[in-house]
Amino acid sequence: QPTDFFTPKIYTGTGASNSLTGLGFQPDFIWIKDRDGGNGQMWTNAVTGAGYHLESDGQQALITQAQGVTSFDSDGFTLGTYSGMNSSGVAFANWNWKAGTTTGLSGGTITPSSYSINATSGFGIYKYSGTGSAGTIAHGLGTAPEFVVAKKTTAIDSWWAYHLYTHSDTSTSGQYYNVLNTTAVRATNSGAWNDTNPTSTLIHLGNGGNVNSSGQDYIIFAFAPKKGFSSFGGFKGNANADGPFCYTGFRPAMVIIKNASGTEAWNCWDNKRNTPVGSKNAAYTVLEPNSTAAETSGSTGQVIDMLSNGFKVRTTSTEVNQSNADMIYLAFAEFPVVSSNSKSGT
């Protein structure tokens, strides 16, 4: 079931050691954001380890914070006193992914120094050293990743993100990239993905400094689509409140949308922060992965309907529905229509 591998969570900070349970699994990627604003988008993962994090809203190198996530636990995780993740009385949003397999990966011309993957859910984390020459990393997910984000951990630099549908003409292959930490329009650089889409076995890297500079260390988060669990796609905006419908094959627990054609923010909704207002499927509460800003909420602005088999855009906002613009999305499941074993979801 989707909740065996991914689940959002909301919690209130305590300012003291805080054990958060109820996930149903040990998370390997923990993303935390305060809902009131001011703090960064905190990404902690089991590959770089507890006590370290990255921030998807900025260019910082890997940050040491001993009082951040202090441990990855069998049913959740434990926080220390760091205010960015656990300030007393502050509301936080949190998203959690399970990986867990740390041996058996082989192939490619760049060998990760450590990794954690899950072929069932199509998710992997890979730590590696750049070579300065185009190369490949074996991902072990069994299906070609459709969303890949890379970050240099030893120096200041932007996050570069690959999305299969970042351009309506996929014949342009892997030359396009999006910048996760800004509102920038998609850009072209053969040094990103070596003009080659990921395959069922390999992620391709160019010689660009943001993904593969000699003497620098990097981390990659890779996501492959899995029936009943994850979907990565795109659509053309129509600037109409009766916007496009995107079929995912599940009721989403999380949706992220970016206007790849414009200088607009990334937008994130989930099933924990969004309570029904008006239309009982409507999701109004948005956080921006590229921003430290507080969440926005209300009956106007960026609105989508989370449906049993996908989501429908219900706004004219250029951030998620600009006329004739290329929109990309990531979605992770709450309830599947059909599960990975081809049985009907319940």
Side-chain angles (χ1 to χ4, degrees):
Q1 295 299 314
T3 52
D4 293 336
F5 301 97
F6 169 77
T7 190
K9 187 178 181 67
I10 55 176
Y11 66 91
T12 301
T14 64
S17 181
N18 190 2
S19 179
L20 295 164
T21 60
L23 299 186
F25 58 85
Q26 179 173 311
D28 296 287
F29 171 29
I30 300 169
W31 176 0
I32 295 172
K33 177 67 177 81
D34 70 308
R35 301 171 66 183
D36 300 329
N39 292 298
Q41 304 272 352
M42 313 289 183
W43 291 35
T44 301
N45 68 87
V47 174
T48 51
Y52 300 92
H53 70 270
L54 293 161
E55 298 185 7
S56 67
D57 57 274
Q59 296 181 319
Q60 302 95 318
L62 187 66
I63 298 166
T64 301
Q65 180 46 259
Q67 290 300 314
V69 174
T70 58
S71 65
F72 301 86
D73 307 328
S74 61
D75 189 33
F77 57 96
T78 300
L79 296 171
T81 58
Y82 176 48
S83 61
M85 299 180 183
N86 192 27
S87 183
S88 179
V90 172
F92 289 87
N94 161 238
W95 306 273
N96 306 274
W97 285 261
K98 176 183 178 180
T101 301
T102 58
T103 60
L105 191 63
S106 63
T109 61
I110 300 172
T111 301
S113 57
S114 56
Y115 59 89
S116 185
I117 63 175
N118 196 300
T120 302
S121 63
F123 170 59
I125 311 167
Y126 313 84
K127 178 182 177 182
Y128 64 97
S129 295
T131 64
S133 301
T136 57
I137 293 177
H139 55 72
L141 303 181
T143 303
E146 295 187 359
F147 184 73
V148 176
V149 59
K151 177 67 180 78
K152 185 185 295 181
T153 60
T154 46
I156 294 172
D157 226 332
S158 286
W159 300 66
W160 279 10
Y162 164 88
H163 194 294
L164 179 61
Y165 299 95
T166 196
H167 192 276
S168 57
D169 178 10
T170 55
S171 67
T172 54
S173 193
Q175 66 180 357
Y176 288 100
Y177 68 92
N178 295 277
V179 182
L180 181 62
N181 56 284
T182 74
T183 61
V185 66
R186 64 175 174 227
T188 303
N189 191 319
S190 60
W193 322 115
N194 199 30
D195 290 345
T196 308
N197 291 326
T199 69
S200 61
T201 57
L202 299 172
I203 296 169
H204 290 260
L205 300 176
N207 58 4
N210 292 67
V211 299
N212 191 19
S213 181
S214 179
Q216 300 290 343
D217 291 339
Y218 297 85
I219 194 158
I220 272 180
F221 301 83
F223 300 85
K226 294 291 180 177
K227 182 170 60 176
F229 177 73
S230 59
S231 177
F232 311 97
F235 61 92
K236 285 284 189 181
N238 65 8
N240 193 309
D242 184 12
F245 166 73
C246 295
Y247 177 82
T248 62
F250 51 76
R251 178 177 175 83
M254 180 188 201
V255 176
I256 297 175
I257 296 176
K258 171 70 172 82
N259 180 347
S261 298
T263 53
E264 305 287 354
W266 298 72
N267 286 257
C268 172
W269 302 260
D270 64 64
N271 62 343
K272 301 299 184 186
R273 295 178 299 117
N274 285 280
T275 55
V277 180
S279 168
K280 60 185 176 181
N281 294 311
Y284 294 97
T285 308
V286 177
L287 281 165
E288 298 177 351
N290 59 276
S291 173
T292 62
E295 67 184 13
T296 59
S297 183
S299 59
T300 60
Q302 300 91 303
V303 183
I304 63 172
D305 279 349
M306 287 187 174
L307 307 170
S308 63
N309 59 352
F311 65 91
K312 183 174 175 63
V313 178
R314 292 289 190 184
T315 178
T316 61
S317 167
T318 56
E319 292 194 4
V320 294
N321 195 19
Q322 181 179 344
S323 179
N324 205 41
D326 291 319
M327 306 290 166
I328 57 174
Y329 73 80
L330 296 71
F332 298 91
E334 178 183 10
F335 299 121
V337 175
V338 178
S339 297
S340 59
N341 60 7
S342 297
K343 295 184 183 297
S344 297
T346 57

